[in-house]
C-alpha cells in the first residue's frame, strides 16, 4: 500500500491559464474521488469514478472543470481558463466498494493551486 | 439534505487533558460516519469509522467516538491529549453511493 499520490504538490499559474493535476490511487481501489478544500473549510465533493466511469459530478464542477480516469487507474483533473476563485487545495481520495456500500476513503496530500 | 456540523471552530486543551470534539449530522438514512485528521499542508488521515453495531468505536492514536442516533451525534474523544495531536479534525457522513459530506472542521491547539 503506497498510498494515494498527487502531482504536482503545488501549482502557481496566471489567471486564464489551463492546469492539469494527476492522482494515482491505491492500486486495488476501484473508486476515485476529487475534492476541493478552501481555507477554513472541509473538503467539498467534486466528482467520483468507479473504475473508468464517472458516476457523479457536483454542481460545483463548472464546465471549465473536467476529470478523466481513462483506464480505471490514475485520474486527471483539468481546469480551463482558471479564475481567482479556483485557488484551493485539490484533494484526491480512493476506496474500494460497489454500489451503495461505504468504505473509508484514503486521501492524498493534495495539490495546492494558486492563481496570480 | 445531508450535512455535518462541527460547532467548535477552535479548541485549546492542555497536554494530558481529555478532549471531546463535537459532530452533528443530518441524513435521512442510516449514516456511515467518519473522523479524519489533517495536519497543515497534508491530506486527511482516517481516525475511525462507524458503519453499524457497537456505538462506541475505537480508532487509531487512542481516539474513540460514540454514535448517538437520538442526538444525531458522533463525538470524538481522547482521554489524554498529546502535543502531536494538534491538527484539524473533520467529521464526515458517507451517503448512498459513498459520497462524503464533511464538516467545516475543528482546529485543535495543545498547550504544554
Amino acid at each position: 500500500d503506497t498510498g494515494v499520490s498527487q502531482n504536482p504538490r503545488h501549482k502557481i499559474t496566471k489567471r486564464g491559464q489551463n492546469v492539469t493535476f494527476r492522482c494515482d490511487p491505491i492500486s486495488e481501489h476501484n473508486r476515485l474521488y476529487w475534492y476541493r478544500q478552501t481555507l477554513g473549510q472541509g473538503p467539498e465533493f467534486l466528482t467520483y469514478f468507479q473504475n473508468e466511469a464517472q458516476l457523479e459530478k457536483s454542481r460545483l464542477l463548472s464546465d471549465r472543470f473536467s476529470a478523466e480516469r481513462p483506464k480505471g487507474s490514475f485520474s486527471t483533473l483539468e481546469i480551463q481558463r482558471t479564475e481567482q476563485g479556483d485557488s484551493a487545495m485539490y484533494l484526491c481520495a480512493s476506496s474500494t466498494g460497489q454500489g451503495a456500500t461505504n468504505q473509508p476513503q484514503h486521501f492524498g496530500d493534495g495539490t495546492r493551486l494558486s492563481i496570480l | 439534505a445531508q450535512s455535518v456540523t462541527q460547532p467548535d471552530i477552535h479548541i485549546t486543551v492542555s497536554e494530558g487533558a481529555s478532549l471531546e470534539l463535537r459532530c452533528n449530522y443530518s441524513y435521512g438514512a442510516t449514516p456511515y460516519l467518519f473522523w479524519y485528521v489533517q495536519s497543515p499542508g497534508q491530506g486527511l488521515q482516517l481516525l475511525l469509522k462507524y458503519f453499524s453495531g457497537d456505538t462506541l468505536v475505537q480508532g487509531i492514536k487512542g481516539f474513540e467516538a460514540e454514535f448517538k442516533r437520538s442526538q444525531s451525534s458522533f463525538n470524538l474523544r481522547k482521554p489524554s491529549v498529546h502535543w502531536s495531536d494538534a491538527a484539524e479534525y473533520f467529521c464526515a457522513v458517507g451517503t448512498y453511493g459513498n459520497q462524503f459530506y464533511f464538516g467545516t472542521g475543528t482546529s485543535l491547539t495543545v498547550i504544554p
Side-chain angles (χ1 to χ4, degrees), chain A residues 9 31 33 35 37 42 45 48 56 95 100 102-105 108-109, chain B residues 32 36 38 41-44 46 49 51 90 95-100 103:
Chain A
R9 290 296 312 276
R31 286 180 165 172
Y33 309 80
Y35 291 86
Q37 185 179 24
F45 170 80
Y48 100 91
E56 194 162 345
S95 77
N102 274 262
Q103 296 296 332
Q105 296 180 17
D109 285 339
Chain B
Y32 297 86
Y36 284 84
Q38 186 178 34
Q42 303 293 315
L44 282 73
L46 178 70
K49 62 185 184 289
F51 285 177
F90 292 96
T95 65
Y96 184 95
N98 217 35
Q99 183 169 332
F100 278 27

PDB file of all heavy atoms in Angstrom, chain A residues 9 31 33 35 37 42 45 48 56 95 100 102-105 108-109, chain B residues 32 36 38 41-44 46 49 51 90 95-100 103:
ATOM      1  N   ARG A   9       2.493  18.921  -6.174  1.00  0.00           N
ATOM      2  CA  ARG A   9       2.043  19.317  -4.836  1.00  0.00           C
ATOM      3  C   ARG A   9       1.600  20.775  -4.822  1.00  0.00           C
ATOM      4  O   ARG A   9       0.686  21.142  -4.093  1.00  0.00           O
ATOM      5  CB  ARG A   9       3.166  19.120  -3.812  1.00  0.00           C
ATOM      6  CG  ARG A   9       3.504  17.687  -3.506  1.00  0.00           C
ATOM      7  CD  ARG A   9       2.339  16.930  -2.831  1.00  0.00           C
ATOM      8  NE  ARG A   9       1.751  17.650  -1.721  1.00  0.00           N
ATOM      9  CZ  ARG A   9       2.220  17.648  -0.477  1.00  0.00           C
ATOM     10  NH1 ARG A   9       3.306  16.971  -0.180  1.00  0.00           N
ATOM     11  NH2 ARG A   9       1.607  18.334   0.482  1.00  0.00           N
ATOM     12  N   ARG A  31     -12.595   2.892  -6.705  1.00  0.00           N
ATOM     13  CA  ARG A  31     -13.264   4.198  -6.661  1.00  0.00           C
ATOM     14  C   ARG A  31     -12.246   5.308  -6.452  1.00  0.00           C
ATOM     15  O   ARG A  31     -11.295   5.160  -5.675  1.00  0.00           O
ATOM     16  CB  ARG A  31     -14.289   4.227  -5.528  1.00  0.00           C
ATOM     17  CG  ARG A  31     -15.534   3.417  -5.827  1.00  0.00           C
ATOM     18  CD  ARG A  31     -16.503   3.470  -4.679  1.00  0.00           C
ATOM     19  NE  ARG A  31     -17.820   3.005  -5.069  1.00  0.00           N
ATOM     20  CZ  ARG A  31     -18.821   2.810  -4.238  1.00  0.00           C
ATOM     21  NH1 ARG A  31     -18.651   3.032  -2.948  1.00  0.00           N
ATOM     22  NH2 ARG A  31     -19.995   2.392  -4.668  1.00  0.00           N
ATOM     23  N   TYR A  33     -12.032   9.731  -6.056  1.00  0.00           N
ATOM     24  CA  TYR A  33     -12.809  10.934  -5.767  1.00  0.00           C
ATOM     25  C   TYR A  33     -11.916  12.165  -5.886  1.00  0.00           C
ATOM     26  O   TYR A  33     -10.733  12.120  -5.550  1.00  0.00           O
ATOM     27  CB  TYR A  33     -13.342  10.897  -4.327  1.00  0.00           C
ATOM     28  CG  TYR A  33     -14.069   9.640  -3.960  1.00  0.00           C
ATOM     29  CD1 TYR A  33     -13.364   8.494  -3.618  1.00  0.00           C
ATOM     30  CD2 TYR A  33     -15.458   9.591  -3.935  1.00  0.00           C
ATOM     31  CE1 TYR A  33     -14.027   7.323  -3.270  1.00  0.00           C
ATOM     32  CE2 TYR A  33     -16.125   8.433  -3.581  1.00  0.00           C
ATOM     33  CZ  TYR A  33     -15.397   7.305  -3.256  1.00  0.00           C
ATOM     34  OH  TYR A  33     -16.059   6.154  -2.911  1.00  0.00           O
ATOM     35  N   TYR A  35     -11.911  16.230  -4.536  1.00  0.00           N
ATOM     36  CA  TYR A  35     -12.492  17.214  -3.637  1.00  0.00           C
ATOM     37  C   TYR A  35     -11.747  18.531  -3.795  1.00  0.00           C
ATOM     38  O   TYR A  35     -10.584  18.566  -4.195  1.00  0.00           O
ATOM     39  CB  TYR A  35     -12.347  16.778  -2.172  1.00  0.00           C
ATOM     40  CG  TYR A  35     -13.164  15.583  -1.755  1.00  0.00           C
ATOM     41  CD1 TYR A  35     -12.691  14.301  -1.947  1.00  0.00           C
ATOM     42  CD2 TYR A  35     -14.407  15.747  -1.137  1.00  0.00           C
ATOM     43  CE1 TYR A  35     -13.437  13.200  -1.547  1.00  0.00           C
ATOM     44  CE2 TYR A  35     -15.151  14.647  -0.730  1.00  0.00           C
ATOM     45  CZ  TYR A  35     -14.662  13.382  -0.940  1.00  0.00           C
ATOM     46  OH  TYR A  35     -15.403  12.305  -0.541  1.00  0.00           O
ATOM     47  N   GLN A  37     -10.792  21.938  -1.368  1.00  0.00           N
ATOM     48  CA  GLN A  37     -10.784  22.434   0.009  1.00  0.00           C
ATOM     49  C   GLN A  37     -10.219  23.840   0.035  1.00  0.00           C
ATOM     50  O   GLN A  37      -9.098  24.073  -0.409  1.00  0.00           O
ATOM     51  CB  GLN A  37      -9.962  21.522   0.918  1.00  0.00           C
ATOM     52  CG  GLN A  37     -10.018  21.917   2.389  1.00  0.00           C
ATOM     53  CD  GLN A  37      -9.204  20.988   3.278  1.00  0.00           C
ATOM     54  OE1 GLN A  37      -8.266  20.339   2.825  1.00  0.00           O
ATOM     55  NE2 GLN A  37      -9.568  20.925   4.557  1.00  0.00           N
ATOM     56  N   GLY A  42     -14.057  22.354   5.198  1.00  0.00           N
ATOM     57  CA  GLY A  42     -13.820  20.955   4.945  1.00  0.00           C
ATOM     58  C   GLY A  42     -13.787  20.683   3.450  1.00  0.00           C
ATOM     59  O   GLY A  42     -14.172  21.534   2.641  1.00  0.00           O
ATOM     60  N   PHE A  45     -17.014  17.827  -2.144  1.00  0.00           N
ATOM     61  CA  PHE A  45     -17.018  16.825  -3.190  1.00  0.00           C
ATOM     62  C   PHE A  45     -17.136  17.469  -4.571  1.00  0.00           C
ATOM     63  O   PHE A  45     -17.958  18.372  -4.787  1.00  0.00           O
ATOM     64  CB  PHE A  45     -18.194  15.874  -2.957  1.00  0.00           C
ATOM     65  CG  PHE A  45     -18.475  14.931  -4.086  1.00  0.00           C
ATOM     66  CD1 PHE A  45     -17.717  13.782  -4.241  1.00  0.00           C
ATOM     67  CD2 PHE A  45     -19.492  15.192  -4.987  1.00  0.00           C
ATOM     68  CE1 PHE A  45     -17.981  12.895  -5.274  1.00  0.00           C
ATOM     69  CE2 PHE A  45     -19.760  14.321  -6.027  1.00  0.00           C
ATOM     70  CZ  PHE A  45     -18.999  13.165  -6.169  1.00  0.00           C
ATOM     71  N   TYR A  48     -16.727  11.700  -8.713  1.00  0.00           N
ATOM     72  CA  TYR A  48     -16.111  10.429  -8.406  1.00  0.00           C
ATOM     73  C   TYR A  48     -16.292   9.431  -9.530  1.00  0.00           C
ATOM     74  O   TYR A  48     -17.216   9.530 -10.339  1.00  0.00           O
ATOM     75  CB  TYR A  48     -16.579   9.896  -7.055  1.00  0.00           C
ATOM     76  CG  TYR A  48     -17.655   8.843  -7.028  1.00  0.00           C
ATOM     77  CD1 TYR A  48     -17.318   7.488  -7.042  1.00  0.00           C
ATOM     78  CD2 TYR A  48     -18.987   9.191  -6.910  1.00  0.00           C
ATOM     79  CE1 TYR A  48     -18.300   6.520  -6.939  1.00  0.00           C
ATOM     80  CE2 TYR A  48     -19.969   8.232  -6.819  1.00  0.00           C
ATOM     81  CZ  TYR A  48     -19.627   6.893  -6.828  1.00  0.00           C
ATOM     82  OH  TYR A  48     -20.597   5.926  -6.733  1.00  0.00           O
ATOM     83  N   GLU A  56     -20.681  10.490 -10.766  1.00  0.00           N
ATOM     84  CA  GLU A  56     -21.372  11.630 -10.170  1.00  0.00           C
ATOM     85  C   GLU A  56     -20.501  12.873 -10.250  1.00  0.00           C
ATOM     86  O   GLU A  56     -19.283  12.803 -10.131  1.00  0.00           O
ATOM     87  CB  GLU A  56     -21.710  11.338  -8.708  1.00  0.00           C
ATOM     88  CG  GLU A  56     -22.700  12.310  -8.107  1.00  0.00           C
ATOM     89  CD  GLU A  56     -23.345  11.779  -6.838  1.00  0.00           C
ATOM     90  OE1 GLU A  56     -23.246  10.566  -6.573  1.00  0.00           O
ATOM     91  OE2 GLU A  56     -23.940  12.573  -6.113  1.00  0.00           O
ATOM     92  N   SER A  95     -11.002   4.494  -2.749  1.00  0.00           N
ATOM     93  CA  SER A  95     -11.571   3.494  -1.844  1.00  0.00           C
ATOM     94  C   SER A  95     -11.958   2.265  -2.650  1.00  0.00           C
ATOM     95  O   SER A  95     -12.003   2.288  -3.887  1.00  0.00           O
ATOM     96  CB  SER A  95     -12.802   4.038  -1.116  1.00  0.00           C
ATOM     97  OG  SER A  95     -13.935   4.047  -1.959  1.00  0.00           O
ATOM     98  N   ALA A 100     -23.973   0.665  -3.227  1.00  0.00           N
ATOM     99  CA  ALA A 100     -24.268   1.588  -2.138  1.00  0.00           C
ATOM    100  C   ALA A 100     -23.318   1.455  -0.961  1.00  0.00           C
ATOM    101  O   ALA A 100     -23.438   2.188   0.007  1.00  0.00           O
ATOM    102  CB  ALA A 100     -25.692   1.364  -1.650  1.00  0.00           C
ATOM    103  N   ASN A 102     -20.343   1.701   1.624  1.00  0.00           N
ATOM    104  CA  ASN A 102     -19.446   2.772   2.027  1.00  0.00           C
ATOM    105  C   ASN A 102     -18.186   2.189   2.613  1.00  0.00           C
ATOM    106  O   ASN A 102     -18.240   1.356   3.502  1.00  0.00           O
ATOM    107  CB  ASN A 102     -20.122   3.658   3.069  1.00  0.00           C
ATOM    108  CG  ASN A 102     -20.963   4.726   2.429  1.00  0.00           C
ATOM    109  OD1 ASN A 102     -20.530   5.851   2.278  1.00  0.00           O
ATOM    110  ND2 ASN A 102     -22.174   4.371   2.046  1.00  0.00           N
ATOM    111  N   GLN A 103     -17.072   2.631   2.102  1.00  0.00           N
ATOM    112  CA  GLN A 103     -15.779   2.250   2.627  1.00  0.00           C
ATOM    113  C   GLN A 103     -14.973   3.503   2.905  1.00  0.00           C
ATOM    114  O   GLN A 103     -15.188   4.535   2.273  1.00  0.00           O
ATOM    115  CB  GLN A 103     -15.032   1.372   1.611  1.00  0.00           C
ATOM    116  CG  GLN A 103     -15.710   0.046   1.317  1.00  0.00           C
ATOM    117  CD  GLN A 103     -15.766  -0.845   2.534  1.00  0.00           C
ATOM    118  OE1 GLN A 103     -14.921  -0.765   3.419  1.00  0.00           O
ATOM    119  NE2 GLN A 103     -16.779  -1.698   2.597  1.00  0.00           N
ATOM    120  N   PRO A 104     -14.059   3.437   3.847  1.00  0.00           N
ATOM    121  CA  PRO A 104     -13.248   4.624   4.128  1.00  0.00           C
ATOM    122  C   PRO A 104     -12.496   5.083   2.892  1.00  0.00           C
ATOM    123  O   PRO A 104     -12.023   4.270   2.096  1.00  0.00           O
ATOM    124  CB  PRO A 104     -12.277   4.132   5.208  1.00  0.00           C
ATOM    125  CG  PRO A 104     -12.949   2.970   5.825  1.00  0.00           C
ATOM    126  CD  PRO A 104     -13.729   2.312   4.727  1.00  0.00           C
ATOM    127  N   GLN A 105     -12.428   6.382   2.723  1.00  0.00           N
ATOM    128  CA  GLN A 105     -11.666   6.956   1.639  1.00  0.00           C
ATOM    129  C   GLN A 105     -10.268   7.306   2.142  1.00  0.00           C
ATOM    130  O   GLN A 105     -10.112   7.847   3.233  1.00  0.00           O
ATOM    131  CB  GLN A 105     -12.370   8.192   1.094  1.00  0.00           C
ATOM    132  CG  GLN A 105     -13.721   7.865   0.471  1.00  0.00           C
ATOM    133  CD  GLN A 105     -14.427   9.080  -0.074  1.00  0.00           C
ATOM    134  OE1 GLN A 105     -13.820  10.126  -0.280  1.00  0.00           O
ATOM    135  NE2 GLN A 105     -15.720   8.959  -0.318  1.00  0.00           N
ATOM    136  N   GLY A 108      -4.895  11.570  -0.667  1.00  0.00           N
ATOM    137  CA  GLY A 108      -3.548  12.027  -0.976  1.00  0.00           C
ATOM    138  C   GLY A 108      -3.257  13.329  -0.251  1.00  0.00           C
ATOM    139  O   GLY A 108      -4.118  13.866   0.463  1.00  0.00           O
ATOM    140  N   ASP A 109      -2.054  13.849  -0.450  1.00  0.00           N
ATOM    141  CA  ASP A 109      -1.647  15.085   0.221  1.00  0.00           C
ATOM    142  C   ASP A 109      -2.123  16.341  -0.493  1.00  0.00           C
ATOM    143  O   ASP A 109      -1.903  17.444  -0.015  1.00  0.00           O
ATOM    144  CB  ASP A 109      -0.127  15.125   0.389  1.00  0.00           C
ATOM    145  CG  ASP A 109       0.350  14.193   1.486  1.00  0.00           C
ATOM    146  OD1 ASP A 109      -0.468  13.825   2.358  1.00  0.00           O
ATOM    147  OD2 ASP A 109       1.541  13.819   1.471  1.00  0.00           O
TER     148      ASP A 109
ATOM    149  N   TYR B  32     -23.181   6.424   7.629  1.00  0.00           N
ATOM    150  CA  TYR B  32     -21.831   5.922   7.796  1.00  0.00           C
ATOM    151  C   TYR B  32     -21.014   7.146   8.232  1.00  0.00           C
ATOM    152  O   TYR B  32     -21.016   8.161   7.553  1.00  0.00           O
ATOM    153  CB  TYR B  32     -21.303   5.369   6.481  1.00  0.00           C
ATOM    154  CG  TYR B  32     -22.079   4.184   5.979  1.00  0.00           C
ATOM    155  CD1 TYR B  32     -23.226   4.352   5.204  1.00  0.00           C
ATOM    156  CD2 TYR B  32     -21.682   2.883   6.278  1.00  0.00           C
ATOM    157  CE1 TYR B  32     -23.948   3.264   4.734  1.00  0.00           C
ATOM    158  CE2 TYR B  32     -22.403   1.792   5.812  1.00  0.00           C
ATOM    159  CZ  TYR B  32     -23.532   1.991   5.047  1.00  0.00           C
ATOM    160  OH  TYR B  32     -24.240   0.911   4.593  1.00  0.00           O
ATOM    161  N   TYR B  36     -11.687  12.237  10.454  1.00  0.00           N
ATOM    162  CA  TYR B  36     -10.383  12.354   9.819  1.00  0.00           C
ATOM    163  C   TYR B  36      -9.590  13.445  10.527  1.00  0.00           C
ATOM    164  O   TYR B  36     -10.152  14.391  11.075  1.00  0.00           O
ATOM    165  CB  TYR B  36     -10.525  12.749   8.346  1.00  0.00           C
ATOM    166  CG  TYR B  36     -10.963  11.631   7.414  1.00  0.00           C
ATOM    167  CD1 TYR B  36     -12.313  11.323   7.266  1.00  0.00           C
ATOM    168  CD2 TYR B  36     -10.032  10.903   6.676  1.00  0.00           C
ATOM    169  CE1 TYR B  36     -12.727  10.318   6.402  1.00  0.00           C
ATOM    170  CE2 TYR B  36     -10.435   9.894   5.808  1.00  0.00           C
ATOM    171  CZ  TYR B  36     -11.776   9.607   5.680  1.00  0.00           C
ATOM    172  OH  TYR B  36     -12.183   8.609   4.822  1.00  0.00           O
ATOM    173  N   GLN B  38      -6.230  16.177   9.839  1.00  0.00           N
ATOM    174  CA  GLN B  38      -5.407  16.793   8.796  1.00  0.00           C
ATOM    175  C   GLN B  38      -4.354  17.690   9.431  1.00  0.00           C
ATOM    176  O   GLN B  38      -4.692  18.635  10.141  1.00  0.00           O
ATOM    177  CB  GLN B  38      -6.280  17.603   7.836  1.00  0.00           C
ATOM    178  CG  GLN B  38      -5.528  18.166   6.638  1.00  0.00           C
ATOM    179  CD  GLN B  38      -6.440  18.922   5.694  1.00  0.00           C
ATOM    180  OE1 GLN B  38      -7.397  19.569   6.113  1.00  0.00           O
ATOM    181  NE2 GLN B  38      -6.162  18.836   4.390  1.00  0.00           N
ATOM    182  N   GLY B  41      -0.912  21.380   5.413  1.00  0.00           N
ATOM    183  CA  GLY B  41      -0.326  21.038   4.128  1.00  0.00           C
ATOM    184  C   GLY B  41      -0.409  19.582   3.747  1.00  0.00           C
ATOM    185  O   GLY B  41       0.193  19.161   2.748  1.00  0.00           O
ATOM    186  N   GLN B  42      -1.147  18.819   4.509  1.00  0.00           N
ATOM    187  CA  GLN B  42      -1.242  17.378   4.255  1.00  0.00           C
ATOM    188  C   GLN B  42      -2.667  16.983   3.890  1.00  0.00           C
ATOM    189  O   GLN B  42      -3.610  17.764   4.036  1.00  0.00           O
ATOM    190  CB  GLN B  42      -0.819  16.594   5.501  1.00  0.00           C
ATOM    191  CG  GLN B  42       0.565  16.918   6.005  1.00  0.00           C
ATOM    192  CD  GLN B  42       1.649  16.484   5.045  1.00  0.00           C
ATOM    193  OE1 GLN B  42       1.616  15.381   4.517  1.00  0.00           O
ATOM    194  NE2 GLN B  42       2.608  17.358   4.802  1.00  0.00           N
ATOM    195  N   GLY B  43      -2.801  15.750   3.425  1.00  0.00           N
ATOM    196  CA  GLY B  43      -4.124  15.199   3.188  1.00  0.00           C
ATOM    197  C   GLY B  43      -4.774  14.759   4.483  1.00  0.00           C
ATOM    198  O   GLY B  43      -4.266  15.011   5.574  1.00  0.00           O
ATOM    199  N   LEU B  44      -5.897  14.082   4.363  1.00  0.00           N
ATOM    200  CA  LEU B  44      -6.651  13.651   5.527  1.00  0.00           C
ATOM    201  C   LEU B  44      -6.324  12.202   5.866  1.00  0.00           C
ATOM    202  O   LEU B  44      -6.242  11.355   4.984  1.00  0.00           O
ATOM    203  CB  LEU B  44      -8.152  13.774   5.259  1.00  0.00           C
ATOM    204  CG  LEU B  44      -8.767  15.168   5.360  1.00  0.00           C
ATOM    205  CD1 LEU B  44      -8.379  16.026   4.180  1.00  0.00           C
ATOM    206  CD2 LEU B  44     -10.285  15.062   5.451  1.00  0.00           C
ATOM    207  N   LEU B  46      -7.567   8.892   8.104  1.00  0.00           N
ATOM    208  CA  LEU B  46      -8.719   8.320   8.781  1.00  0.00           C
ATOM    209  C   LEU B  46      -8.368   7.960  10.221  1.00  0.00           C
ATOM    210  O   LEU B  46      -7.394   7.259  10.473  1.00  0.00           O
ATOM    211  CB  LEU B  46      -9.187   7.067   8.047  1.00  0.00           C
ATOM    212  CG  LEU B  46     -10.370   6.325   8.659  1.00  0.00           C
ATOM    213  CD1 LEU B  46     -11.652   7.148   8.513  1.00  0.00           C
ATOM    214  CD2 LEU B  46     -10.540   4.955   7.997  1.00  0.00           C
ATOM    215  N   LYS B  49     -14.104   4.922  12.045  1.00  0.00           N
ATOM    216  CA  LYS B  49     -15.320   4.881  11.250  1.00  0.00           C
ATOM    217  C   LYS B  49     -16.407   4.147  12.027  1.00  0.00           C
ATOM    218  O   LYS B  49     -16.140   3.298  12.861  1.00  0.00           O
ATOM    219  CB  LYS B  49     -15.074   4.170   9.917  1.00  0.00           C
ATOM    220  CG  LYS B  49     -14.649   2.709  10.061  1.00  0.00           C
ATOM    221  CD  LYS B  49     -14.318   2.098   8.734  1.00  0.00           C
ATOM    222  CE  LYS B  49     -13.989   0.613   8.862  1.00  0.00           C
ATOM    223  NZ  LYS B  49     -12.696   0.387   9.527  1.00  0.00           N
ATOM    224  N   PHE B  51     -19.969   2.103  11.015  1.00  0.00           N
ATOM    225  CA  PHE B  51     -20.866   1.607   9.983  1.00  0.00           C
ATOM    226  C   PHE B  51     -22.147   1.063  10.606  1.00  0.00           C
ATOM    227  O   PHE B  51     -23.245   1.353  10.160  1.00  0.00           O
ATOM    228  CB  PHE B  51     -20.186   0.517   9.148  1.00  0.00           C
ATOM    229  CG  PHE B  51     -19.166   1.022   8.164  1.00  0.00           C
ATOM    230  CD1 PHE B  51     -18.435   0.149   7.389  1.00  0.00           C
ATOM    231  CD2 PHE B  51     -18.922   2.380   8.007  1.00  0.00           C
ATOM    232  CE1 PHE B  51     -17.498   0.609   6.476  1.00  0.00           C
ATOM    233  CE2 PHE B  51     -17.990   2.864   7.104  1.00  0.00           C
ATOM    234  CZ  PHE B  51     -17.269   1.963   6.330  1.00  0.00           C
ATOM    235  N   PHE B  90     -11.837  16.610  11.122  1.00  0.00           N
ATOM    236  CA  PHE B  90     -13.036  16.687  10.295  1.00  0.00           C
ATOM    237  C   PHE B  90     -13.922  15.465  10.539  1.00  0.00           C
ATOM    238  O   PHE B  90     -13.436  14.326  10.518  1.00  0.00           O
ATOM    239  CB  PHE B  90     -12.677  16.746   8.811  1.00  0.00           C
ATOM    240  CG  PHE B  90     -11.995  18.003   8.400  1.00  0.00           C
ATOM    241  CD1 PHE B  90     -10.614  18.067   8.324  1.00  0.00           C
ATOM    242  CD2 PHE B  90     -12.728  19.136   8.088  1.00  0.00           C
ATOM    243  CE1 PHE B  90      -9.971  19.233   7.943  1.00  0.00           C
ATOM    244  CE2 PHE B  90     -12.094  20.307   7.709  1.00  0.00           C
ATOM    245  CZ  PHE B  90     -10.717  20.357   7.645  1.00  0.00           C
ATOM    246  N   THR B  95     -22.817   8.809   2.344  1.00  0.00           N
ATOM    247  CA  THR B  95     -24.185   8.548   1.933  1.00  0.00           C
ATOM    248  C   THR B  95     -24.242   7.396   0.940  1.00  0.00           C
ATOM    249  O   THR B  95     -23.213   6.834   0.570  1.00  0.00           O
ATOM    250  CB  THR B  95     -24.793   9.796   1.278  1.00  0.00           C
ATOM    251  OG1 THR B  95     -24.066  10.066   0.065  1.00  0.00           O
ATOM    252  CG2 THR B  95     -24.677  10.990   2.200  1.00  0.00           C
ATOM    253  N   TYR B  96     -25.433   7.080   0.505  1.00  0.00           N
ATOM    254  CA  TYR B  96     -25.635   6.046  -0.507  1.00  0.00           C
ATOM    255  C   TYR B  96     -24.720   6.320  -1.690  1.00  0.00           C
ATOM    256  O   TYR B  96     -24.729   7.408  -2.233  1.00  0.00           O
ATOM    257  CB  TYR B  96     -27.093   6.072  -0.943  1.00  0.00           C
ATOM    258  CG  TYR B  96     -27.464   4.984  -1.918  1.00  0.00           C
ATOM    259  CD1 TYR B  96     -28.026   3.803  -1.475  1.00  0.00           C
ATOM    260  CD2 TYR B  96     -27.273   5.150  -3.290  1.00  0.00           C
ATOM    261  CE1 TYR B  96     -28.374   2.794  -2.357  1.00  0.00           C
ATOM    262  CE2 TYR B  96     -27.619   4.158  -4.173  1.00  0.00           C
ATOM    263  CZ  TYR B  96     -28.187   2.987  -3.706  1.00  0.00           C
ATOM    264  OH  TYR B  96     -28.522   2.004  -4.586  1.00  0.00           O
ATOM    265  N   GLY B  97     -23.943   5.355  -2.091  1.00  0.00           N
ATOM    266  CA  GLY B  97     -23.025   5.559  -3.201  1.00  0.00           C
ATOM    267  C   GLY B  97     -21.685   6.115  -2.774  1.00  0.00           C
ATOM    268  O   GLY B  97     -20.867   6.463  -3.611  1.00  0.00           O
ATOM    269  N   ASN B  98     -21.472   6.209  -1.458  1.00  0.00           N
ATOM    270  CA  ASN B  98     -20.151   6.572  -0.934  1.00  0.00           C
ATOM    271  C   ASN B  98     -19.759   8.018  -1.190  1.00  0.00           C
ATOM    272  O   ASN B  98     -18.590   8.347  -1.232  1.00  0.00           O
ATOM    273  CB  ASN B  98     -19.061   5.647  -1.481  1.00  0.00           C
ATOM    274  CG  ASN B  98     -18.011   5.346  -0.434  1.00  0.00           C
ATOM    275  OD1 ASN B  98     -18.328   5.234   0.747  1.00  0.00           O
ATOM    276  ND2 ASN B  98     -16.782   5.247  -0.827  1.00  0.00           N
ATOM    277  N   GLN B  99     -20.716   8.923  -1.346  1.00  0.00           N
ATOM    278  CA  GLN B  99     -20.364  10.341  -1.401  1.00  0.00           C
ATOM    279  C   GLN B  99     -20.239  10.849   0.022  1.00  0.00           C
ATOM    280  O   GLN B  99     -21.108  10.622   0.858  1.00  0.00           O
ATOM    281  CB  GLN B  99     -21.432  11.129  -2.145  1.00  0.00           C
ATOM    282  CG  GLN B  99     -21.078  12.600  -2.297  1.00  0.00           C
ATOM    283  CD  GLN B  99     -21.995  13.308  -3.263  1.00  0.00           C
ATOM    284  OE1 GLN B  99     -22.525  12.705  -4.168  1.00  0.00           O
ATOM    285  NE2 GLN B  99     -22.178  14.601  -3.051  1.00  0.00           N
ATOM    286  N   PHE B 100     -19.151  11.522   0.311  1.00  0.00           N
ATOM    287  CA  PHE B 100     -18.873  12.012   1.653  1.00  0.00           C
ATOM    288  C   PHE B 100     -19.223  13.491   1.763  1.00  0.00           C
ATOM    289  O   PHE B 100     -18.956  14.277   0.865  1.00  0.00           O
ATOM    290  CB  PHE B 100     -17.384  11.846   1.975  1.00  0.00           C
ATOM    291  CG  PHE B 100     -16.989  10.471   2.439  1.00  0.00           C
ATOM    292  CD1 PHE B 100     -17.698   9.347   2.058  1.00  0.00           C
ATOM    293  CD2 PHE B 100     -15.887  10.298   3.256  1.00  0.00           C
ATOM    294  CE1 PHE B 100     -17.326   8.091   2.488  1.00  0.00           C
ATOM    295  CE2 PHE B 100     -15.508   9.036   3.691  1.00  0.00           C
ATOM    296  CZ  PHE B 100     -16.218   7.931   3.308  1.00  0.00           C
ATOM    297  N   GLY B 103     -17.754  18.178   7.612  1.00  0.00           N
ATOM    298  CA  GLY B 103     -17.960  19.389   8.380  1.00  0.00           C
ATOM    299  C   GLY B 103     -16.872  20.398   8.073  1.00  0.00           C
ATOM    300  O   GLY B 103     -15.940  20.119   7.309  1.00  0.00           O
TER     301      GLY B 103
END
